[in-house]
Amino acid sequence: MTAAAKVEWADMMIVSGVVVGAATFLFRKVLFGKGKAIDAPAAHKAAEMAAAAVGSGMGPKSDYSEARDFVAKMRKAGKNVVVFYGSQTGTAEDFATRLGKDMQSGGVRPMVLDPESYDWQCLASLGEGELAVFVLATSGEGEPTDNMEAWFDALASDRESPEDSETPMFHQPEDKDDLDPEMPLSGVTYAVFGLGNNTYEQFNHHARVVDGRLRALGATRIGERGEGDDDVDIEEDFSKWKAATVPLIREYLGATDDDDQTQVPQPTWAVAEIDIDAAKVWTHGEMGDSGASEGTAAYSIHRPFVAPITAAADLSPSGDRYVLHVEVDLEGSGMRYEAGDHIGVFAANSDAEVDLMLHALGLQDRADAPISVRATDPFAAQQTLFPGAATTYRAAFRHYLDIAAPVPRSQIASLVLPHARSDAAREFLGQLAEDKDAHAAVVAAGCLTPARLLIAVQQAEAAAGVPESGRLVLPVAEAFELCQRMQARLYSISSSARVTPTRASITAVVLQYDAQTELASRLPLGARRCGVATNYLLAATNKLNSGPSDPEVSSAVDALKQPPILDSKDHVIRPYAVLPPTLPVFIRRSTFRLPADAATPIIMVGPGTGLAPMRAFVQERALLARENPEKAQGTSLLFFGARTSAHDFTYREELISLFDDIKKAAPESRVITAFSRDQQQKIYVQHRLAENAELVYRTLLCGKDKLNGPSRAHIYVCGDAKMMAKDVAKALVSLISEREGVSEDTASKWVSEMRRLSRYQEDVWS
């Protein structure tokens, strides 16, 4: 061996030793901690990661991107607070935006960012006089929102036991001493507010885990962790947290009372009428990146696929409500889904609601004028309301803004009340802004949308004799800010990709109800309130099936002069001038999954439209039974509940046929129904679980004589979180306790362990 070769061999040995040592240190908790083993591929990956870090000469900054460095962006913009939102339905994003605006002053200079666009590794770069605020919604069964997933996985690499997570490798800031290996976020200050719902098992889990991990890594929290409860009053929870926390943030940043006078918060949006080629004006709800050609980018929530509607039907034609089955064609999208996933749908507001908004703002004569809508803050996370160069007032209110939600109390105070010019308007709005009980009784109970609130004020002014010239006129920019951006509605896919790989099904009940206030009934369009997405789907269903044409309702002024038009089911007919035979959709992955081994028994509880993912599961098991009739399957039990058998047993014939197939491989499989109104005493799915305790217990045993711990069977619950899901869990605990001869506390612990092992899964809503 030559001298040069000996040197190269020695160098290789040294580098290998460094790599092995680095890998051993970085992954010491996985390799040696708490008895957890690491498999060979994982160990190999660990060595690769360590080698990349060592070999780059930059350590953990090897993948640094200035464009994704939010601290550099803050400093360049002269900001000292960054507000990150983890948002699934838009509420957390809305809260973050409002928080940024509410705390803004000369001494507090916030910017609101989407964490998906920035690197968590830069978090350690925050220094003295800088602050991060996290506004985090909890999704699903205690999961992070899609846009926070990378950050969450970095902070909590061990999701089962977050406290045992590895210390992430943050970028080493150039203006700081070497980061502490165990407490790399020392010197970082933050605040956190969580959005959740106490009817869910993992209430505010996302915010709790992030808060705990930040503190464990050395960061210092300002104030208490806020926890909003959507089942009670999340707006009030947010207001209380802001009132307590913002003064502490101001104190930390050294802001003084005089700072409030130096910078007046500006509107979020700049709305201007423009002269532009009509071909460049987006009027039909165009979405996604207009510059992206087909196939150059994956379809997602940011770039939905425009899917043709291939089938649509009312599953309850003789009932008093609509239960819709809608199928969309995913051919050519490249999107794939699995049973248990969700499909996101972007809908549009009805003509009547749009015209009502235009009427409230006095924009009827300029409804189709081309406008540009741009963020006033050049560093805002959302620079545009829509991807195109221009739209119209009508199209903005139809496609891009959610105009159907009640106006929050804080926004009445900050966006509407300042524009009141009469005593009558100030008195009407002042009470709603200051008194939470008055707001609940008038705005929340009456579902006063922005348009309805403005018209109610104008009616109060007219009754007080205020001349029209002196009445409330809300600037368009404030009206845009009152409304969240239109968000996708998520539905559990009710079909199996193994059966229909290029078609996905939606099963949904059309939402209509009457607001229970006298004021609501006096306003244009009456007291009836209609869910945005499901009524859009209903209109699409009627059009696809060539149903009767909707009566013409050309404007809100017409609506003032005529009563609502009802169909045979007492549903208000809402017309849609723009109703293409397509839906903008995307697929959202879920952890709601069938066990990989078909020999594992499953117990499904899906009343109402909670049947949707269960139908997909049943389709899949039936297909396996048809393909392998000689191969035994685990028992499949489906507990389905509805109001009546005659009108509400959706997919009846299909389920009977599918279970006939399944029984060939799993003879004890069956559908067990609970129709609450078919007898004098109401019966629900939890009652049927108790009545069929022997069969349920036998299914849970998986062939054993006793459980003696969590079952190997998988349990799935889909539907109402507030009552049904809790009652089902109680029924199962009681059943296990009685059959096993153990206390309910012990049985409850076994069920909790099943949840931890993903053998008890819920896809629920409130």
Side-chain angles (χ1 to χ4, degrees), residues 440-674:
V442 176
V443 179
C447 192
L448 293 195
T449 62
R452 289 172 174 84
L453 176 67
L454 296 176
I455 292 173
V457 175
Q458 293 160 3
Q459 288 183 352
E461 289 180 308
V466 178
E468 194 167 339
S469 59
R471 296 176 193 170
L472 172 67
V473 177
L474 190 69
V476 174
E478 271 74 0
F480 274 44
E481 194 165 340
L482 272 182
C483 308
Q484 287 188 40
R485 289 186 302 117
M486 182 69 85
Q487 300 293 327
R489 272 58 172 179
L490 292 172
Y491 297 94
S492 299
I493 298 176
S494 58
S495 56
S496 166
R498 292 195 177 188
V499 178
T500 56
T502 61
R503 291 200 318 276
S505 298
I506 297 167
T507 306
V509 172
V510 176
L511 175 64
Q512 289 201 10
Y513 68 95
D514 290 329
Q516 300 300 309
T517 68
E518 189 271 335
L519 173 60
S521 64
R522 288 193 285 107
L523 293 171
L525 304 183
R528 184 61 57 90
R529 302 292 182 261
C530 303
V532 174
T534 54
N535 282 273
Y536 186 77
L537 291 175
L538 175 61
T541 298
N542 289 338
K543 183 173 182 178
L544 187 71
N545 294 315
S546 301
S549 299
D550 290 334
E552 235 173 271
V553 181
S554 60
S555 73
V557 176
D558 290 339
L560 287 168
K561 299 176 182 178
Q562 58 184 327
I565 301 171
L566 304 177
D567 65 12
S568 59
K569 292 193 178 188
D570 197 37
H571 274 56
V572 170
I573 296 174
R574 291 287 192 239
Y576 294 83
V578 179
L579 192 64
T582 56
L583 284 176
V585 301
F586 62 94
I587 301 299
R588 180 173 182 262
R589 298 297 177 190
S590 169
T591 58
F592 201 73
R593 288 281 185 268
L594 278 171
D597 185 358
T600 304
I602 58 174
I603 298 171
M604 300 166 283
V605 184
T609 53
L611 176 62
M614 311 310 178
R615 174 180 183 251
F617 288 170
V618 171
Q619 285 184 345
E620 202 149 303
R621 287 245 160 150
L623 176 65
L624 291 174
R626 290 194 298 271
E627 291 177 341
N628 300 284
E630 304 304 318
K631 187 175 181 179
Q633 277 190 25
T635 297
S636 295
L637 300 181
L638 170 60
F639 289 85
F640 171 71
R643 297 183 301 174
T644 67
S645 174
H647 304 304
D648 305 302
F649 194 168
T650 50
Y651 302 114
R652 181 202 301 257
E653 290 76 15
E654 179 187 354
L655 289 173
I656 292 171
S657 175
L658 291 172
F659 269 92
D660 283 344
D661 292 335
I662 293 173
K663 285 177 182 178
K664 295 172 185 176
E668 287 201 315
S669 299
R670 67 193 68 178
V671 182
I672 299 168
T673 58

Side-chain angles (χ1 to χ4, degrees), residues 155-493:
L155 293 170
S157 56
D158 188 336
R159 288 202 179 188
E160 290 185 7
S161 303
E163 65 277 7
D164 294 332
S165 296
E166 290 292 327
T167 300
M169 295 180 64
F170 295 98
H171 292 322
Q172 172 63 53
E174 294 179 358
D175 58 350
K176 285 187 177 183
D177 294 335
D178 288 349
L179 298 177
D180 185 321
E182 297 295 333
M183 306 281 278
L185 296 185
S186 295
V188 172
T189 307
Y190 73 98
V192 61
F193 180 82
L195 295 82
N197 187 304
N198 72 46
T199 60
Y200 289 74
E201 181 77 14
Q202 300 287 350
F203 176 60
N204 264 309
H205 186 69
H206 184 191
R208 291 178 180 181
V209 169
V210 169
D211 178 36
R213 291 298 298 143
L214 291 175
R215 285 189 290 124
L217 294 169
T220 301
R221 188 183 68 208
I222 282 185
E224 297 298 319
R225 179 183 65 239
E227 293 196 343
D229 186 356
D230 193 40
D231 189 52
V232 181
D233 191 339
I234 200 166
E235 282 282 349
E236 195 62 29
D237 295 334
F238 183 54
S239 294
K240 288 179 179 178
W241 176 82
K242 276 197 306 180
T245 307
V246 171
L248 299 177
I249 292 174
R250 291 175 53 77
E251 180 182 352
Y252 167 73
L253 295 174
T256 66
D257 292 340
D258 293 338
D259 292 329
D260 287 334
Q261 308 303 319
T262 62
Q263 187 171 344
V264 178
Q266 58 185 344
T268 299
W269 301 108
V271 184
E273 295 183 13
I274 58 175
D275 185 12
I276 190 173
D277 182 354
K280 297 180 179 179
V281 181
W282 288 23
T283 60
H284 287 77
E286 297 90 337
M287 304 183 74
D289 183 2
S290 59
S293 60
E294 290 296 319
T296 61
Y299 291 105
S300 67
I301 188 172
H302 305 296
R303 184 176 178 248
F305 175 66
V306 180
I309 302 172
T310 56
D314 176 16
L315 298 176
S316 181
S318 62
D320 59 358
R321 61 178 181 172
Y322 291 97
V323 181
L324 301 181
H325 172 86
V326 179
E327 294 182 14
V328 293
D329 188 355
L330 304 179
E331 185 75 44
S333 69
M335 293 191 297
R336 300 288 183 266
Y337 75 93
E338 294 183 57
D341 283 343
H342 298 95
I343 186 167
V345 175
F346 284 96
N349 292 302
S350 69
D351 294 353
E353 292 290 342
V354 171
D355 287 341
L356 188 67
M357 192 72 177
L358 294 168
H359 172 72
L361 296 170
L363 293 173
Q364 305 98 307
D365 296 337
R366 292 159 32 223
D368 298 307
I371 60 172
S372 68
V373 184
R374 294 290 182 269
T376 55
D377 181 354
F379 298 98
Q382 299 293 336
Q383 286 294 307
T384 61
L385 187 62
F386 51 90
T391 188
T392 65
Y393 293 115
R394 190 188 307 277
F397 290 131
R398 174 178 285 140
H399 298 290
Y400 302 118
L401 291 168
D402 189 342
I403 61 176
V407 183
R409 187 161 66 94
S410 61
Q411 290 194 288
I412 293 176
S414 63
L415 294 175
V416 185
L417 185 56
H419 296 281
R421 295 183 288 172
S422 69
D423 290 340
R426 282 188 286 270
E427 180 181 354
F428 185 94
L429 292 168
Q431 185 180 22
L432 300 179
E434 296 167 10
D435 186 339
K436 68 175 184 179
D437 293 330
H439 180 273
V442 176
V443 179
C447 192
L448 293 195
T449 62
R452 289 172 174 84
L453 176 67
L454 296 176
I455 292 173
V457 175
Q458 293 160 3
Q459 288 183 352
E461 289 180 308
V466 178
E468 194 167 339
S469 59
R471 296 176 193 170
L472 172 67
V473 177
L474 190 69
V476 174
E478 271 74 0
F480 274 44
E481 194 165 340
L482 272 182
C483 308
Q484 287 188 40
R485 289 186 302 117
M486 182 69 85
Q487 300 293 327
R489 272 58 172 179
L490 292 172
Y491 297 94
S492 299
I493 298 176

Side-chain angles (χ1 to χ4, degrees), residues 673-732:
T673 58
F675 297 107
S676 60
R677 300 185 185 181
D678 277 357
Q679 61 285 312
Q680 188 173 2
Q681 184 178 2
K682 290 188 176 180
I683 296 176
Y684 299 108
V685 284
Q686 60 267 27
H687 300 134
R688 295 303 192 204
L689 282 165
E691 290 173 9
N692 291 271
E694 181 60 37
L695 174 61
V696 172
Y697 180 61
R698 193 160 59 248
T699 304
L700 290 172
L701 286 173
C702 300
K704 295 166 57 180
D705 294 328
K706 297 284 282 185
L707 283 177
N708 295 320
S711 171
R712 289 193 304 105
H714 283 224
I715 299 173
Y716 302 92
V717 181
C718 184
D720 168 56
K722 190 168 186 177
M723 299 295 292
M724 183 276 297
K726 290 182 177 180
D727 289 340
V728 165
K730 288 178 183 177
L732 285 166

Side-chain angles (χ1 to χ4, degrees), residues 735-749:
L735 183 155
I736 292 171
S737 170
E738 182 179 335
R739 298 283 162 166
E740 285 283 305
V742 298
S743 68
E744 289 204 351
D745 183 58
T746 297
S748 180
K749 289 178 181 177

